[in-house]
PDB file of all heavy atoms in Angstrom:
ATOM      1  N   ASP A1103       1.559  13.442  25.015  1.00  0.00           N
ATOM      2  CA  ASP A1103       0.241  13.688  25.881  1.00  0.00           C
ATOM      3  C   ASP A1103      -0.309  15.038  25.494  1.00  0.00           C
ATOM      4  O   ASP A1103      -1.420  15.410  25.664  1.00  0.00           O
ATOM      5  CB  ASP A1103       0.426  13.483  27.237  1.00  0.00           C
ATOM      6  CG  ASP A1103       0.270  12.075  27.717  1.00  0.00           C
ATOM      7  OD1 ASP A1103       1.158  11.252  27.668  1.00  0.00           O
ATOM      8  OD2 ASP A1103      -0.837  11.645  28.220  1.00  0.00           O
ATOM      9  N   LEU A1111      -7.734   9.057  22.665  1.00  0.00           N
ATOM     10  CA  LEU A1111      -7.134   8.017  21.913  1.00  0.00           C
ATOM     11  C   LEU A1111      -8.266   6.807  21.718  1.00  0.00           C
ATOM     12  O   LEU A1111      -7.904   5.800  21.436  1.00  0.00           O
ATOM     13  CB  LEU A1111      -5.947   7.331  22.632  1.00  0.00           C
ATOM     14  CG  LEU A1111      -4.875   8.371  22.962  1.00  0.00           C
ATOM     15  CD1 LEU A1111      -3.671   7.636  23.543  1.00  0.00           C
ATOM     16  CD2 LEU A1111      -4.427   9.100  21.736  1.00  0.00           C
ATOM     17  N   LYS A1112      -9.500   7.229  21.938  1.00  0.00           N
ATOM     18  CA  LYS A1112     -10.533   6.062  21.973  1.00  0.00           C
ATOM     19  C   LYS A1112     -11.012   5.749  20.648  1.00  0.00           C
ATOM     20  O   LYS A1112     -11.827   4.800  20.493  1.00  0.00           O
ATOM     21  CB  LYS A1112     -11.567   6.347  23.027  1.00  0.00           C
ATOM     22  CG  LYS A1112     -10.951   6.357  24.437  1.00  0.00           C
ATOM     23  CD  LYS A1112     -12.062   6.691  25.547  1.00  0.00           C
ATOM     24  CE  LYS A1112     -11.269   6.819  26.837  1.00  0.00           C
ATOM     25  NZ  LYS A1112     -12.243   6.971  28.049  1.00  0.00           N
ATOM     26  N   THR A1115     -10.339   4.571  14.354  1.00  0.00           N
ATOM     27  CA  THR A1115      -9.901   4.813  13.059  1.00  0.00           C
ATOM     28  C   THR A1115      -8.718   5.809  13.102  1.00  0.00           C
ATOM     29  O   THR A1115      -8.479   6.266  14.256  1.00  0.00           O
ATOM     30  CB  THR A1115     -10.986   5.430  12.174  1.00  0.00           C
ATOM     31  OG1 THR A1115     -11.323   6.651  12.691  1.00  0.00           O
ATOM     32  CG2 THR A1115     -12.276   4.538  12.117  1.00  0.00           C
ATOM     33  N   TRP A1127      -3.961  22.809  25.363  1.00  0.00           N
ATOM     34  CA  TRP A1127      -3.283  24.104  25.140  1.00  0.00           C
ATOM     35  C   TRP A1127      -4.126  25.040  24.307  1.00  0.00           C
ATOM     36  O   TRP A1127      -4.112  26.139  24.347  1.00  0.00           O
ATOM     37  CB  TRP A1127      -1.914  23.977  24.443  1.00  0.00           C
ATOM     38  CG  TRP A1127      -0.905  23.374  25.439  1.00  0.00           C
ATOM     39  CD1 TRP A1127      -1.058  23.195  26.805  1.00  0.00           C
ATOM     40  CD2 TRP A1127       0.528  23.029  25.057  1.00  0.00           C
ATOM     41  NE1 TRP A1127       0.199  22.681  27.256  1.00  0.00           N
ATOM     42  CE2 TRP A1127       0.980  22.471  26.245  1.00  0.00           C
ATOM     43  CE3 TRP A1127       1.074  22.914  23.948  1.00  0.00           C
ATOM     44  CZ2 TRP A1127       2.336  21.966  26.280  1.00  0.00           C
ATOM     45  CZ3 TRP A1127       2.537  22.476  23.989  1.00  0.00           C
ATOM     46  CH2 TRP A1127       3.102  22.091  25.131  1.00  0.00           C
ATOM     47  N   GLU A1164       0.885   6.682  17.975  1.00  0.00           N
ATOM     48  CA  GLU A1164       1.069   7.101  16.557  1.00  0.00           C
ATOM     49  C   GLU A1164      -0.017   8.306  16.428  1.00  0.00           C
ATOM     50  O   GLU A1164       0.095   9.114  15.473  1.00  0.00           O
ATOM     51  CB  GLU A1164       0.948   6.028  15.590  1.00  0.00           C
ATOM     52  CG  GLU A1164       1.222   6.367  14.168  1.00  0.00           C
ATOM     53  CD  GLU A1164       1.584   5.118  13.422  1.00  0.00           C
ATOM     54  OE1 GLU A1164       2.212   4.204  13.810  1.00  0.00           O
ATOM     55  OE2 GLU A1164       1.128   5.082  12.224  1.00  0.00           O
ATOM     56  N   GLU A1272      12.926 -18.567  10.733  1.00  0.00           N
ATOM     57  CA  GLU A1272      12.168 -19.272  11.689  1.00  0.00           C
ATOM     58  C   GLU A1272      12.615 -20.819  11.634  1.00  0.00           C
ATOM     59  O   GLU A1272      12.709 -21.398  12.615  1.00  0.00           O
ATOM     60  CB  GLU A1272      10.627 -19.242  11.304  1.00  0.00           C
ATOM     61  CG  GLU A1272      10.134 -17.749  11.689  1.00  0.00           C
ATOM     62  CD  GLU A1272       8.610 -17.671  11.352  1.00  0.00           C
ATOM     63  OE1 GLU A1272       8.202 -18.174  10.316  1.00  0.00           O
ATOM     64  OE2 GLU A1272       7.895 -17.061  12.178  1.00  0.00           O
ATOM     65  N   ARG A1275      15.798 -21.787  13.571  1.00  0.00           N
ATOM     66  CA  ARG A1275      15.897 -21.613  14.954  1.00  0.00           C
ATOM     67  C   ARG A1275      15.773 -22.907  15.773  1.00  0.00           C
ATOM     68  O   ARG A1275      15.142 -23.750  15.343  1.00  0.00           O
ATOM     69  CB  ARG A1275      14.909 -20.583  15.421  1.00  0.00           C
ATOM     70  CG  ARG A1275      14.859 -19.294  14.818  1.00  0.00           C
ATOM     71  CD  ARG A1275      13.939 -18.258  15.354  1.00  0.00           C
ATOM     72  NE  ARG A1275      14.725 -17.557  16.446  1.00  0.00           N
ATOM     73  CZ  ARG A1275      14.015 -16.814  17.444  1.00  0.00           C
ATOM     74  NH1 ARG A1275      12.740 -16.853  17.506  1.00  0.00           N
ATOM     75  NH2 ARG A1275      14.798 -16.173  18.187  1.00  0.00           N
TER      76      ARG A1275
ATOM     77  N   TYR B 848      13.488  -9.972  13.756  1.00  0.00           N
ATOM     78  CA  TYR B 848      12.474 -10.850  14.125  1.00  0.00           C
ATOM     79  C   TYR B 848      12.025 -10.597  15.536  1.00  0.00           C
ATOM     80  O   TYR B 848      12.778 -10.409  16.449  1.00  0.00           O
ATOM     81  CB  TYR B 848      12.978 -12.295  14.065  1.00  0.00           C
ATOM     82  CG  TYR B 848      11.862 -13.339  14.011  1.00  0.00           C
ATOM     83  CD1 TYR B 848      11.135 -13.571  12.973  1.00  0.00           C
ATOM     84  CD2 TYR B 848      11.561 -14.021  15.186  1.00  0.00           C
ATOM     85  CE1 TYR B 848       9.935 -14.499  12.961  1.00  0.00           C
ATOM     86  CE2 TYR B 848      10.550 -14.924  15.309  1.00  0.00           C
ATOM     87  CZ  TYR B 848       9.685 -15.114  14.157  1.00  0.00           C
ATOM     88  OH  TYR B 848       8.747 -16.084  14.228  1.00  0.00           O
ATOM     89  N   ARG B 875       1.758 -14.644  12.618  1.00  0.00           N
ATOM     90  CA  ARG B 875       2.044 -15.569  13.630  1.00  0.00           C
ATOM     91  C   ARG B 875       1.209 -15.292  14.893  1.00  0.00           C
ATOM     92  O   ARG B 875       1.647 -14.840  15.831  1.00  0.00           O
ATOM     93  CB  ARG B 875       3.522 -15.606  14.036  1.00  0.00           C
ATOM     94  CG  ARG B 875       4.497 -16.091  12.903  1.00  0.00           C
ATOM     95  CD  ARG B 875       4.396 -17.502  12.682  1.00  0.00           C
ATOM     96  NE  ARG B 875       5.286 -17.994  11.644  1.00  0.00           N
ATOM     97  CZ  ARG B 875       4.860 -18.400  10.431  1.00  0.00           C
ATOM     98  NH1 ARG B 875       3.533 -18.381  10.091  1.00  0.00           N
ATOM     99  NH2 ARG B 875       5.659 -18.851   9.486  1.00  0.00           N
ATOM    100  N   GLU B 898     -18.326   3.925  30.272  1.00  0.00           N
ATOM    101  CA  GLU B 898     -18.005   4.995  29.256  1.00  0.00           C
ATOM    102  C   GLU B 898     -18.144   4.301  27.779  1.00  0.00           C
ATOM    103  O   GLU B 898     -17.384   3.314  27.622  1.00  0.00           O
ATOM    104  CB  GLU B 898     -16.582   5.347  29.448  1.00  0.00           C
ATOM    105  CG  GLU B 898     -16.475   6.926  29.266  1.00  0.00           C
ATOM    106  CD  GLU B 898     -15.906   7.188  27.921  1.00  0.00           C
ATOM    107  OE1 GLU B 898     -14.996   6.448  27.484  1.00  0.00           O
ATOM    108  OE2 GLU B 898     -16.475   8.088  27.257  1.00  0.00           O
ATOM    109  N   THR B 968       1.505   2.441  15.857  1.00  0.00           N
ATOM    110  CA  THR B 968       0.354   1.475  15.274  1.00  0.00           C
ATOM    111  C   THR B 968       0.755   1.036  13.864  1.00  0.00           C
ATOM    112  O   THR B 968       0.543  -0.114  13.531  1.00  0.00           O
ATOM    113  CB  THR B 968      -0.964   2.294  15.249  1.00  0.00           C
ATOM    114  OG1 THR B 968      -1.187   2.434  16.686  1.00  0.00           O
ATOM    115  CG2 THR B 968      -1.962   1.373  14.630  1.00  0.00           C
ATOM    116  N   SER B 969       1.442   1.911  13.093  1.00  0.00           N
ATOM    117  CA  SER B 969       1.867   1.375  11.684  1.00  0.00           C
ATOM    118  C   SER B 969       2.845   0.046  11.945  1.00  0.00           C
ATOM    119  O   SER B 969       2.805  -0.877  11.105  1.00  0.00           O
ATOM    120  CB  SER B 969       2.643   2.369  10.843  1.00  0.00           C
ATOM    121  OG  SER B 969       1.668   3.433  10.627  1.00  0.00           O
ATOM    122  N   MET B1234      -7.333   7.089  31.090  1.00  0.00           N
ATOM    123  CA  MET B1234      -8.268   6.846  30.091  1.00  0.00           C
ATOM    124  C   MET B1234      -9.526   6.193  30.464  1.00  0.00           C
ATOM    125  O   MET B1234     -10.491   6.107  29.828  1.00  0.00           O
ATOM    126  CB  MET B1234      -7.604   5.821  29.044  1.00  0.00           C
ATOM    127  CG  MET B1234      -6.675   6.480  28.024  1.00  0.00           C
ATOM    128  SD  MET B1234      -6.211   5.532  26.768  1.00  0.00           S
ATOM    129  CE  MET B1234      -7.669   5.666  25.645  1.00  0.00           C
ATOM    130  N   GLU B1254       1.809  17.362  31.727  1.00  0.00           N
ATOM    131  CA  GLU B1254       0.586  18.221  31.905  1.00  0.00           C
ATOM    132  C   GLU B1254      -0.530  17.301  31.520  1.00  0.00           C
ATOM    133  O   GLU B1254      -0.665  16.771  30.494  1.00  0.00           O
ATOM    134  CB  GLU B1254       0.663  19.410  30.979  1.00  0.00           C
ATOM    135  CG  GLU B1254       1.573  20.597  31.412  1.00  0.00           C
ATOM    136  CD  GLU B1254       1.440  21.759  30.531  1.00  0.00           C
ATOM    137  OE1 GLU B1254       0.295  21.984  29.886  1.00  0.00           O
ATOM    138  OE2 GLU B1254       2.402  22.464  30.365  1.00  0.00           O
TER     139      GLU B1254
END
Side-chain angles (χ1 to χ4, degrees):
Chain A
D1103 272 85
L1111 306 186
K1112 296 182 186 187
T1115 65
W1127 288 352
E1164 190 163 318
E1272 288 180 321
R1275 301 188 92 195
Chain B
Y848 193 78
R875 295 290 179 248
E898 219 264 318
T968 296
S969 295
M1234 276 196 80
E1254 285 184 32

